[in-house]
Amino acid sequence: MREGKDKRLRRLARIEGQVRGIARMVADERYCIDIITQIAAVQAALRKVESEILENHVSHCVEHAIQSGNAEEQRTKVAELMEVLNRRLR
């Protein structure tokens, strides 16, 4: 679990550096297509982190709710999951 967390934190730090680089590109009035390309790379990297965190949530929190047998907890976790998935589709 800790290894996954450390991996995601390193990835987020790298993304933070990319965003700072994009800000410098804008300040330096770099070519728009180059800036857009870097923005797309950051978005892809964020989607990857999001996907890993979502997978972790399903394999731990949602799985725990299913195994608990607690119907209310199960409904809550499924509703949360559906809300997140619906937001991703927008």
Side-chain angles (χ1 to χ4, degrees):
M1 177 77 98
R2 177 74 182 170
E3 182 180 318
K5 178 182 175 182
D6 290 344
K7 178 182 167 186
R8 284 186 281 279
L9 287 172
R10 283 191 304 273
R11 181 170 280 142
L12 287 167
R14 203 164 35 251
I15 292 167
E16 180 181 12
Q18 287 177 286
V19 171
R20 290 179 196 276
I22 292 169
R24 283 191 302 275
M25 291 174 78
V26 171
D28 295 344
E29 298 181 358
R30 296 272 302 271
Y31 186 55
C32 295
I33 297 302
D34 292 341
I35 296 169
I36 291 168
T37 299
Q38 290 306 309
I39 290 170
V42 167
Q43 290 172 329
L46 282 170
R47 279 192 303 273
K48 176 71 173 164
V49 173
E50 179 187 27
S51 179
E52 290 174 358
I53 291 172
L54 182 58
E55 183 178 328
N56 184 67
H57 177 68
V58 170
S59 66
H60 291 96
C61 301
V62 175
E63 185 176 323
H64 177 267
I66 292 168
Q67 291 175 346
S68 75
N70 182 326
E72 183 60 31
E73 184 179 3
Q74 292 168 353
R75 280 191 288 277
T76 298
K77 294 300 178 191
V78 169
E80 289 173 349
L81 190 56
M82 291 305 299
E83 183 179 332
V84 166
L85 293 174
N86 284 330
R87 275 196 309 250
R88 282 185 90 190
L89 295 174
R90 288 184 206 150

